Amino acid sequence: MKNKVIITGGTGYIGSHTAVEFIQNGFEVVLVDNLSNSDISIVDRIEKITGIKPEFEEIDLTDIKKTSSFFKKHKDAKGVINFAALKAVGESVQKPIEYYRNNLNILLNVLENMEVNSISNFIFSSSATVYGLPDKLPITEESETKRPTSPYGNTKKVGEEIIEDFVKIAKNVKAISLRYFNPIGAHKSGLIGEAPTGIPNNLMPYITQVAAGVRKELKVFGKDYDTKDGTAIRDYIHVMDLAVAHMAAFKRLNDTGKDQKYEIFNIGTGIGYSVLDVISSFEKTSKQKLNYSFDDRREGDVPMLYADSSKASKVLHWGTSLSLDDMTRSSWEWEESLK
Ligand code: NAD
Ligand code: UDP
């Protein structure tokens, strides 16, 4: 019998890439999603890539009854990777209740049902946003966490605290939180990738949409930061390297005993690239000239953020293998496949 793993938010951007990685490593994958920010066609696309069609259930995980029967049905699962969440930073400022209700209720329902059904391994999608404006770079897991500026970001910080409290008393559940830095890129097949609805908030999908003619011009937010070229620096990580990090975390949960209740890992490359670095890589790999101009800094943005991921490298035996050029190339191939 195959190891079964539940992937919530499994038709979403990171969930779908992680599903591919798990299927290709011999796991039986069950995807659960309410399709609020993804499309059912992803299930067939995962099948095209892997040759295996994952089971899919359309459920709103804030629905206590439906979530409970879903977990009862899949009580033989070895673990849960919890991607399901609303994630638009700006929207969360306008709709704080919706964001707290959705993201925290999903987490509470999933944890409770895991305990009841003795499903032991839990992985939580956290974010570098929990560090706020860092005092020191690169950021280690020991760095102080700060209250994120947006309600979305705060659902990650509060989410981590909920897990920490819960695993102390849980008899069955162990957890790992992965603090992602900036995931970009797409699967090399061009069949799955990031598909933002409406105007993208994030840099990479904005760039590809401008190049594809969907948007007119990219605004580069800020050119007066104290960085090598004046634009802000982030730690961009290829979504497939991120998917592999989930595999490594899952293995860690399987391999460690019950006393190892909760661990946190930064998941980044450790390399900081500026907005202009990303643009220049994109222009090179896509052979497109990007239309962009400079604008004011975006409110809430920090000048520089990049990870010290040595803990993940040491403990999870994980590292990245894909470059910024791989990220921008695959993002462009994905955008082109949407035409
Ligand atoms: P995504 O929006 O593509 O995927 C999330 C999925 O969750 C969507 O398919 C959505 O339909 C589903 N969902 C939302 N609410 C649900 C509910 N109530 N019930 C069932 N399904 C629900 O987002 P993503 O980029 O793949 O992000 C995955 C996770 O990683 C999220 O938790 C996000 O906060 C976190 N994260 C993402 C980034 C990033 O830059 N993409 C960075 C850090 C952390
Ligand atoms: N950015 C930009 N123009 C855009 C979107 C983003 O210049 O249209 C910059 C943003 O200011 C930040 C970087 O690109 O410095 C990454 O932003 P993104 O929203 O992708 O991720 P964040 O690090 O804010 O979560």
Side-chain angles (χ1 to χ4, degrees), residues 9 11-14 33-38 59-62 83-85 87 102 106 125-127 152 156 180 183:
T11 43
Y13 171 44
I14 306 170
D33 203 297
N34 68 351
L35 302 177
S36 60
N37 197 37
S38 54
I59 289 171
D60 184 335
L61 291 161
T62 64
F83 293 106
K87 64 159 185 179
N102 191 70
I106 291 173
S125 298
S126 190
S127 164
Y152 161 71
K156 296 301 174 191
Y180 312 156

Side-chain angles (χ1 to χ4, degrees), residues 274-288:
S274 71
V275 176
L276 292 181
D277 287 335
V278 178
I279 292 174
S280 130
S281 166
F282 175 79
E283 289 188 328
K284 183 175 77 182
T285 58
S286 68
K287 299 184 180 68
Q288 302 290 313

Side-chain angles (χ1 to χ4, degrees), residues 182 201-203 206 218-221 232 234 236 275 298 301:
N182 287 58
N201 295 296
N202 298 109
L203 179 64
Y206 211 104
L218 172 78
K219 296 277 184 208
V220 175
F221 299 139
R234 294 289 181 275
Y236 298 93
V275 176
R298 184 171 65 178
D301 273 358

Side-chain angles (χ1 to χ4, degrees), residues 21-286:
E21 181 63 21
F22 273 71
I23 293 170
Q24 289 180 335
N25 277 277
F27 282 81
E28 178 186 344
V29 159
V30 180
L31 310 178
V32 53
D33 203 297
N34 68 351
L35 302 177
S36 60
N37 197 37
S38 54
D39 195 87
I40 184 74
S41 64
I42 294 299
V43 180
D44 290 336
R45 286 161 176 257
I46 293 173
E47 183 185 10
K48 267 201 190 129
I49 297 170
T50 63
I52 292 171
K53 187 168 185 163
E55 189 173 339
F56 171 75
E57 297 213 28
E58 184 178 344
I59 289 171
D60 184 335
L61 291 161
T62 64
D63 184 317
I64 294 181
K65 274 200 183 144
K66 286 186 183 155
T67 304
S68 157
S69 25
F70 168 82
F71 272 90
K72 232 174 255 160
K73 185 171 159 198
H74 296 291
K75 65 192 305 173
D76 56 333
K78 295 281 182 291
V80 178
I81 311 178
N82 192 43
F83 293 106
L86 293 172
K87 64 159 185 179
V89 176
E91 186 185 58
S92 79
V93 176
Q94 299 309 317
K95 300 176 176 172
I97 300 286
E98 196 179 313
Y99 270 67
Y100 284 117
R101 180 181 286 139
N102 191 70
N103 294 1
L104 297 181
N105 278 328
I106 291 173
L107 178 63
L108 298 172
N109 290 344
V110 169
L111 289 177
E112 190 170 42
N113 280 289
M114 286 181 70
E115 180 71 356
V116 168
N117 293 291
S118 300
I119 302 173
S120 57
N121 302 326
F122 181 71
I123 299 176
F124 181 61
S125 298
S126 190
S127 164
T129 185
V130 300
Y131 295 115
L133 179 64
D135 302 322
K136 222 174 74 197
L137 288 163
I139 306 170
T140 70
E141 293 81 357
E142 304 307 316
S143 308
E144 190 192 342
T145 59
K146 295 178 185 152
R147 192 197 187 289
T149 42
S150 72
Y152 161 71
N154 208 32
T155 66
K156 296 301 174 191
K157 184 161 184 294
V158 175
E160 286 192 6
E161 289 163 0
I162 289 172
I163 296 167
E164 199 179 342
D165 287 342
F166 174 71
V167 291
K168 279 185 198 147
I169 55 91
K171 290 202 172 55
N172 302 313
V173 182
K174 307 190 299 169
I176 285 180
S177 285
L178 300 179
R179 291 177 178 161
Y180 312 156
F181 279 66
N182 287 58
I184 61 171
H187 190 263
K188 59 178 189 285
S189 62
L191 285 166
I192 54 173
E194 187 173 9
T197 44
I199 303 170
N201 295 296
N202 298 109
L203 179 64
M204 197 65 236
Y206 211 104
I207 288 178
T208 58
Q209 289 198 4
V210 169
V214 180
R215 321 242 156 242
K216 235 178 94 211
E217 180 190 56
L218 172 78
K219 296 277 184 208
V220 175
F221 299 139
K223 62 168 179 180
D224 57 352
Y225 285 110
D226 187 14
T227 58
K228 58 174 187 173
D229 58 23
T231 64
I233 287 182
R234 294 289 181 275
D235 186 338
Y236 298 93
I237 173 168
H238 197 295
V239 67
M240 283 315 297
D241 277 335
L242 181 58
V244 175
H246 291 81
M247 181 56 66
F250 202 81
K251 195 167 174 311
R252 168 80 179 165
L253 287 164
N254 255 329
D255 291 349
T256 49
K258 277 205 167 169
D259 48 328
Q260 183 61 66
K261 288 281 201 177
Y262 183 43
E263 291 178 293
I264 293 174
F265 296 96
N266 283 342
I267 301 295
T269 63
I271 307 167
Y273 287 111
S274 71
V275 176
L276 292 181
D277 287 335
V278 178
I279 292 174
S280 130
S281 166
F282 175 79
E283 289 188 328
K284 183 175 77 182
T285 58
S286 68

